[in-house]
Amino acid sequence: ARLIKKCCTPQPVKEGRRIVGYVKPNLFSPQYQNDFEELKSYCIDDVAAMREDVKLLPRKELIPVEHEIWKLTAKMNLEGLPVVAEEVSSILARIEQALEDGKKELAKMTNKVITSPFQYARIKDFCEKEGFPIQNVQAAYIQDLINDPEVRLPEIVEKVLTLCQMLGKSSTAKYRKMVDYMVPGKAEDYRVNDSLCYHGAGTGRWAGRGIQPQNFPRAQSKQPEED
C-alpha cells in the first residue's frame, strides 16, 4: 500500500504546511529508484502467486448449479433494466439547474472563494480561515461534524459545508450514468444492460457495473402493509 501510494498517485507539492499542487511521480528519478524496483518485484511475485493458484483450481468448468446462475446472470443482463428516458432527462435537467443555483449561492456566501462543491482544497482553506480547521472533506466526516451537537461550527462554515454536501451527492450522478448506458428497445422502451457481474466478489455474489443497481436507495415506508 505504501509503494502504490508513493509510486502510482500524484504527490503533493507543499509550501510550508499548505498543499499548492500535485506532481506525477517520476519513477526513473534517483529518489524513486529503490521504491520502483521494490514495487516491480512485488508485482512479479503477485503474478507468480496467481498462476500457482490457477494451477491448483479443481476444474475448468463451473459446477452445474453455478453454471445455472451464470446463465441466469447473462439472461438478466440481456433483458436489462427498464428506464423511462423522458423522466430521467427531466430529473437530470432539474438537478443541473439546482447545481447551478447552488454554485451561485456558494460563490455569494464565500465571496467567490468557493464556486464548486468539488474545490476541496479551497473548502479546507476557507474553514481554516473562518477559525474551524477540518481534517478532510470526505462526506461521512463532514456529516458527522454537522450532526454532532457537541461540535460548535461557525455559522458560515456550517452553511458552506451543508451546501457542499447537498451539491456533491453521488446519488444524483446515477441519472447521468443512466443516460450514458441506456439504449432504446422496442417502442421507445429504453433499457440499461450489463449491470450485473457474475461472481464479482470473493463471496460469489454479484457485483454492480455501470449504474450500480445494488447501491440504489432502498424504498422506505412507515406503513408497509398499507403501501
Side-chain angles (χ1 to χ4, degrees), residues 83-94 175 178-179 182:
V83 177
V84 182
E86 201 173 298
E87 288 189 19
V88 171
S89 299
S90 176
I91 291 168
L92 201 50
R94 288 290 188 93
Y175 296 102
M178 286 179 188
V179 171
M182 66 188 184

Side-chain angles (χ1 to χ4, degrees), residues 133-199:
I134 57 175
Q135 295 174 21
N136 57 64
V137 289
Q138 291 177 5
Y141 168 70
I142 298 298
Q143 198 62 57
D144 286 344
L145 283 181
I146 294 168
N147 293 340
D148 192 336
E150 294 183 9
V151 175
R152 295 283 180 261
L153 290 171
E155 187 179 357
I156 185 65
V157 169
E158 184 171 359
K159 284 183 177 179
V160 167
L161 292 180
T162 301
L163 185 55
C164 285
Q165 283 282 82
M166 187 185 75
L167 296 176
K169 278 190 175 179
S170 60
S171 56
T172 57
K174 295 284 184 198
Y175 296 102
R176 293 188 191 90
K177 281 279 186 186
M178 286 179 188
V179 171
D180 292 340
Y181 281 86
M182 66 188 184
V183 292
K186 297 175 183 175
E188 297 303 305
D189 168 29
Y190 280 79
R191 299 251 158 190
V192 173
N193 303 97
D194 301 321
S195 57
L196 292 172
C197 174
Y198 167 77
H199 214 299

Side-chain angles (χ1 to χ4, degrees), residues 6-22:
K6 184 171 182 181
C7 298
C8 306
T9 62
Q11 298 298 298
V13 178
K14 294 184 178 180
E15 287 183 2
R17 293 178 60 190
R18 187 182 176 199
I19 296 173
V20 294
Y22 291 86

Side-chain angles (χ1 to χ4, degrees), residues 21-185:
Y22 291 86
V23 63
K24 185 178 178 182
N26 179 5
L27 299 181
F28 300 101
S29 66
Q31 74 179 94
Y32 284 101
Q33 191 169 2
N34 291 336
D35 291 307
F36 183 40
E37 289 301 321
E38 197 178 336
L39 182 61
K40 189 166 73 173
S41 175
Y42 165 80
C43 289
I44 291 169
D45 283 349
D46 200 39
V47 172
M50 181 58 73
R51 283 176 175 162
E52 291 303 312
D53 284 345
V54 170
K55 285 179 190 175
L56 294 170
L57 290 175
R59 57 177 60 83
K60 291 183 181 179
E61 298 85 21
L62 294 171
I63 60 174
V65 66
E66 288 295 321
H67 190 226
E68 289 304 312
I69 296 170
W70 184 90
K71 287 195 290 185
L72 174 65
T73 309
K75 184 180 178 182
M76 289 191 292
N77 278 332
L78 286 169
E79 178 75 13
L81 294 168
V83 177
V84 182
E86 201 173 298
E87 288 189 19
V88 171
S89 299
S90 176
I91 291 168
L92 201 50
R94 288 290 188 93
I95 289 171
E96 295 294 350
Q97 186 59 55
L99 281 172
E100 283 307 306
D101 293 344
K103 286 177 183 177
K104 288 175 185 175
E105 180 67 19
L106 203 53
K108 185 179 176 183
M109 285 165 56
T110 62
N111 201 22
K112 296 186 179 179
V113 172
I114 305 168
T115 55
S116 164
F118 307 110
Q119 293 171 328
Y120 304 127
R122 290 191 183 189
I123 294 168
K124 283 186 74 175
D125 287 346
F126 179 83
C127 292
E128 189 166 351
K129 284 173 184 173
E130 292 295 328
F132 194 92
I134 57 175
Q135 295 174 21
N136 57 64
V137 289
Q138 291 177 5
Y141 168 70
I142 298 298
Q143 198 62 57
D144 286 344
L145 283 181
I146 294 168
N147 293 340
D148 192 336
E150 294 183 9
V151 175
R152 295 283 180 261
L153 290 171
E155 187 179 357
I156 185 65
V157 169
E158 184 171 359
K159 284 183 177 179
V160 167
L161 292 180
T162 301
L163 185 55
C164 285
Q165 283 282 82
M166 187 185 75
L167 296 176
K169 278 190 175 179
S170 60
S171 56
T172 57
K174 295 284 184 198
Y175 296 102
R176 293 188 191 90
K177 281 279 186 186
M178 286 179 188
V179 171
D180 292 340
Y181 281 86
M182 66 188 184
V183 292

